[in-house]
């Protein structure tokens, strides 16, 4: 510019140039600021104050204070107000819990209504120590959002902090596990397995082993059995055996489990080794299982016939007919069925008994001479040597009690038994009168009285002048290795001989006409036996559900515990 240095116009020109430069710089600054404000990273930090509310776990939500935003939320839900802030957020809690009044929910606002003056007055506001939710994410609008001023309120007096209790997780109920369905074992297969394990159990007992593992191949299929024997726990318990059988079918491993028990001679209402050929069953009623190691001879007339009300098994081919008048059907006599060729059950002649003792309370007392034993309801018994004058000796029985006869000594018994006792003689036992329990098991569910009569030779019913006329009742398990005898059986009819329990004998004498007979099994003997009563060599299935189950399922023994033995 060609102006004089001191010219007034020159000063005006410089002033205009400076003004233009300042305005240009200002416009550039504003332009740059406008561009930067459009970037998300340049948006101002949005600070939202959250007030904690003690409304329980179901009502715990964050509540934002009033903010000025270009776009109004579509709902006043506190959860949606928080979710609109940012997809990623961090929570910083730096204050102790405090008790505040629950504020009202904020009303929805529009951009034209949002202003600092619209903030509700008199409302609790969070202090600097309150929980803070901060985010740097952009708002819903392209325009920057500003924070509305918060009206200060008086500080809230802090109270004693309360330790928050973690909410208890609700456990979903466990659905009951259904018992896996089993596969029924066919009858033929069941029969083969039954015979196999019966024989295996007897061999295991013979060699006195506790466990054995056996294999069977039948019709191209292999079976493996694991047997475990559990000896009797005491003198009244039964020996048992657990058997698990496994096999494979169509690539699956199958398993079944059964429980067996060793039968005692007291399990039979009547067991006879060799019936007397001169004796036949006539006016007899037997309630309970019956077994004979020889063919059975029966006779009947128009008035009476024998009645076997439970299963009859015999090692023979069947039965023979003795004296018969008229006609009787087989099912009328063998009402519980007849099974032939069932195998012999040998009768042992020696027994394992405790050593005899002397004095009261001893497990056994031995008598070397013929002695009369009288049982009393108070749990005691008395004894007096036969043929010797003198007072009766008396003492309380131990539990269990053993009354033992010495060599060649006979024991005569009668009375009321209260307790658990075994009477043994190697020679002879004579029943001089009724032997009954103090607690009749037919009337008392918890009756605990047990009597066993065990003899290596004969057990007799005394003469009518000793027993008296009328019925004679014997509540006991009776075992006569050689013979069970009714003396003077041909005496005039006196009554009925009732044995409640069991009778095992090498052979039986006739009982008529002196007595008609009735043998009724004592059901308690299924689970217990009189002390020291002998066991047979026979096993029986006690429980079996007769089903195959996959090896990964629950053991079938759990369901077999209440299952009944298979029929047939």
């Amino acid at each position: 510019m060609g102006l004089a240095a001191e010219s007034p116009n020159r000063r005006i020109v410089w002033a205009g140039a400076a003004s233009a430069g300042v305005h240009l710089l200002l416009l550039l600054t504003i332009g740059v600021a406008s561009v930067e404000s459009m970037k998300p990273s340049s948006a101002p930090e949005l600070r939202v104050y959250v007030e904690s509310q003690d409304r329980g776990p179901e009502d715990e939500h964050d509540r934002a204070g009033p903010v000025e935003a270009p776009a109004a939320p579509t709902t006043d839900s506190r959860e949606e107000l928080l979710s609109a802030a940012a997809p990623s957020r961090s929570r910083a809690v730096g204050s102790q819990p405090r008790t505040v009044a629950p504020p009202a929910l904020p009303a929805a606002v529009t951009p034209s209504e949002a202003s600092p003056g619209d903030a509700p007055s008199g409302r609790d506001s969070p202090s600097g120590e309150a929980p803070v939710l901060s985010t740097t994410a952009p708002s819903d609008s392209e325009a920057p959002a500003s924070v509305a001023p918060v009206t200060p309120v008086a500080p809230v007096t802090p109270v004693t902090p309360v330790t928050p209790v973690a909410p208890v997780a609700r456990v979903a109920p466990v659905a009951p596990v259904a018992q896996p369905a089993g596969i029924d074992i066919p009858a033929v297969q069941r029969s083969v397995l039954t015979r196999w394990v019966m024989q295996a159990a007897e061999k295991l007992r013979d060699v006195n082993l506790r466990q054995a593992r056996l294999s069977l191949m039948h019709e191209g299929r292999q079976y493996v059995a694991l047997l475990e024997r559990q000896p009797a726990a005491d003198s009244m318990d039964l020996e048992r055996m657990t058997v698990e059988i496994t096999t494979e079918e169509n690539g699956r491993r199958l398993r079944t489990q059964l429980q067996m028990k060793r039968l005692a001679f007291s399990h039979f209402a009547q067991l006879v080794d060799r019936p007397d050929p001169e004796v036949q069953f006539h006016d007899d009623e037997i309630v309970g299982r019956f077994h004979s190691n020889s063919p059975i001879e029966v006779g009947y007339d128009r008035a009476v016939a024998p009645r076997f009300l439970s299963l009859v098994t015999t090692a023979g081919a069947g039965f023979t007919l003795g004296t018969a008048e008229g006609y009787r059907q087989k099912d009328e006599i063998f009402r519980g069925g007849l099974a032939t060729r069932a195998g012999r059950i040998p009768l042992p002649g020696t027994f394992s008994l405790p050593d005899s003792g002397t004095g009261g309370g001893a497990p056994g007392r031995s008598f070397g001479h013929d002695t009369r034993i009288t049982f009393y309801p108070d749990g005691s018994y008395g004894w007096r040597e036969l043929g010797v004058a003198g007072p009766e000796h008396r003492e309380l029985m131990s539990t269990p009690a053993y009354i033992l006869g010495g060599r060649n000594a006979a024991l005569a018994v009668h009375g009321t038994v209260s307790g658990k006792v075994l009477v043994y003689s190697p020679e002879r036992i004579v029943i001089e009168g009724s032997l009954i329990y103090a607690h009749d098991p037919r009337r008392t569910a918890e009756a605990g009285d047990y009597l066993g009569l065990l003899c290596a030779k004969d057990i007799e019913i005394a003469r009518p002048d000793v027993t008296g006329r009328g019925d004679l009742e014997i509540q006991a398990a009776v075992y006569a290795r050689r013979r069970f005898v009714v003396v003077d059986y041909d005496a005039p009819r006196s009554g009925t001989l009732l044995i409640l329990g069991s009778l095992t004998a090498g052979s039986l004498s006739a009982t008529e006409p002196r007595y008609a007979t009735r043998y009724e099994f004592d059901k308690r003997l299924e689970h217990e036996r009189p002390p020291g009563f002998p066991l047979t060599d026979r096993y029986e299935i006690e429980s079996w559900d007769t089903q195959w189950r996959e090896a990964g399922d629950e053991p079938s023994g759990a369901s077999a515990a209440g299952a009944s033995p298979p029929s047939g």
Side-chain angles (χ1 to χ4, degrees):
M1 295 186 313
L3 296 177
E6 298 297 330
S7 171
N9 291 330
R10 185 180 180 89
R11 288 194 296 270
I12 293 172
V13 170
W14 282 108
S19 176
V22 170
H23 281 81
L24 178 61
L25 181 62
L26 180 61
L27 289 176
L28 290 174
T29 301
I30 293 174
V32 171
S34 298
V35 172
E36 291 294 327
S37 67
M38 299 299 290
K39 298 181 180 179
S41 59
S42 65
E45 181 180 69
L46 177 65
R47 298 179 61 86
V48 182
Y49 292 90
V50 180
E51 296 178 357
S52 62
Q53 302 179 30
D54 189 9
R55 291 190 179 183
E58 298 294 332
D59 235 4
E60 292 179 357
H61 297 285
D62 295 329
R63 181 178 177 274
V67 295
E68 183 177 351
T74 58
T75 175
D76 60 356
S77 166
R78 288 171 290 175
E79 186 67 22
E80 293 188 11
L81 287 174
L82 288 177
S83 63
S88 62
R89 59 188 179 183
S90 63
R91 183 185 299 269
V93 179
S95 65
Q96 296 180 348
R98 66 184 64 215
T99 303
V100 295
L105 293 175
V109 295
T110 62
S112 60
E113 294 173 338
S115 65
D118 292 334
S121 62
R123 183 176 57 184
D124 289 341
S125 299
S127 66
E129 297 179 351
V132 176
L133 173 65
S134 61
T135 179
T136 57
S139 64
D140 292 339
S141 171
E142 295 291 339
S146 60
V147 179
V150 180
T151 304
V153 295
V156 180
T157 303
V159 297
T160 303
V162 179
T163 304
V165 179
V168 179
R170 184 172 300 173
V171 180
V174 179
V177 179
Q179 179 70 19
I183 304 171
D184 290 337
I185 301 177
V188 174
Q189 188 181 62
R190 188 169 66 236
S191 178
V192 170
L193 295 178
T194 299
R195 288 196 302 270
W196 177 45
V197 297
M198 290 291 187
Q199 295 171 0
E202 294 175 10
K203 293 178 181 178
L204 193 64
R205 185 209 68 236
D206 291 341
V207 297
N208 198 28
L209 291 177
R210 296 289 295 270
Q211 286 186 340
R213 186 180 184 88
L214 306 175
S215 178
L216 171 69
M217 182 66 70
H218 179 71
E219 295 184 351
R221 185 171 181 177
Q222 186 178 28
Y223 303 89
V224 176
L226 178 62
L227 292 81
E228 183 174 0
R229 185 166 62 94
Q230 297 102 32
D234 53 47
S235 63
M236 297 184 66
D237 192 22
L238 301 174
E239 179 183 310
R240 287 179 166 82
M241 187 173 297
T242 301
V243 182
E244 182 179 272
I245 306 173
T246 57
T247 187
E248 288 191 5
E249 182 180 84
N250 298 328
R252 294 187 302 170
R253 187 167 178 265
L254 303 177
R255 173 179 59 191
T256 188
Q257 184 171 302
L258 53 99
Q259 185 80 19
M260 302 171 65
K261 67 181 178 183
R262 185 177 174 184
L263 294 179
F265 285 97
S266 54
H267 275 105
F268 296 84
Q270 190 172 117
L271 189 153
V272 182
D273 186 33
R274 52 188 188 284
D276 190 322
E278 301 297 324
V279 177
Q280 60 186 7
F281 290 95
H282 184 251
D283 192 2
D284 304 280
E285 183 175 73
I286 302 174
V287 184
R289 72 174 86 190
F290 175 94
H291 178 81
S292 175
N293 287 332
S294 304
I296 305 167
E297 185 170 356
V298 299
Y300 55 86
D301 54 35
R302 299 183 185 278
V304 296
R307 298 166 301 283
F308 298 88
L309 303 185
S310 300
L311 177 64
V312 172
T313 58
T314 175
F319 68 97
T320 60
L321 191 62
T323 305
E325 295 181 11
Y327 174 75
R328 301 278 183 172
Q329 291 185 350
K330 175 183 173 182
D331 293 345
E332 187 179 352
I333 297 175
F334 301 101
R335 302 184 183 184
L338 174 65
T340 61
R341 305 189 186 281
R344 295 188 73 256
I345 301 178
L347 276 61
T350 58
F351 314 97
S352 177
L353 297 171
D355 295 333
S356 61
T358 57
R365 176 178 284 278
S366 180
F367 300 94
H369 300 88
D370 295 350
T371 305
R372 175 175 291 114
I373 307 294
T374 303
F375 295 100
Y376 295 99
D378 62 356
S380 66
Y381 72 100
W383 71 89
R384 181 187 290 113
E385 188 174 331
L386 292 175
V388 177
E392 180 185 65
H393 304 278
R394 190 166 170 178
E395 70 179 13
L396 286 173
M397 293 189 297
S398 59
T399 302
Y402 295 87
I403 300 175
L404 312 174
R407 185 175 182 182
N408 300 323
L411 300 178
V413 294
H414 71 283
T416 301
V417 177
S418 179
K420 301 172 176 63
V421 57
L422 178 75
V423 177
Y424 166 76
S425 171
E427 189 68 25
R428 187 164 57 109
I429 295 176
V430 181
I431 299 172
E432 295 188 329
S434 289
L435 283 164
I436 61 174
Y437 293 132
H439 307 90
D440 192 329
R442 295 167 297 186
R443 299 178 178 85
T444 306
E446 301 299 325
D449 304 325
Y450 290 85
L451 172 63
L453 300 180
L454 178 62
C455 186
K457 292 184 179 178
D458 301 333
I459 295 180
E460 301 176 356
I461 303 295
R463 302 185 310 272
D465 61 323
V466 176
T467 61
R469 298 186 62 81
D471 297 340
L472 183 70
E473 185 167 356
I474 302 171
Q475 297 181 354
V478 180
Y479 181 103
R481 174 64 180 84
R482 189 166 67 180
R483 191 170 175 82
F484 181 79
V485 180
V486 175
V487 178
D488 294 341
Y489 67 85
D490 55 353
R493 174 57 60 93
S494 176
T496 299
L497 171 62
L498 170 62
I499 296 181
L500 175 65
S502 70
L503 171 63
T504 299
S507 66
L508 303 172
S509 76
T511 60
E512 296 180 63
R514 180 180 173 185
Y515 290 119
T517 57
R518 176 181 172 85
Y519 305 91
E520 182 178 345
F521 180 68
D522 184 347
K523 296 179 181 178
R524 301 176 306 157
L525 298 177
E526 282 287 355
H527 310 288
E528 282 189 298
R529 55 186 170 126
F533 211 75
L535 298 168
T536 72
D537 64 353
R538 185 72 60 87
Y539 286 84
E540 178 181 79
I541 295 176
E542 188 172 27
S543 61
W544 188 16
D545 65 359
T546 64
Q547 287 189 329
W548 291 114
R549 300 181 188 277
E550 290 200 43
D553 297 338
E554 287 293 323
S556 58
S559 60
S564 301
S567 59

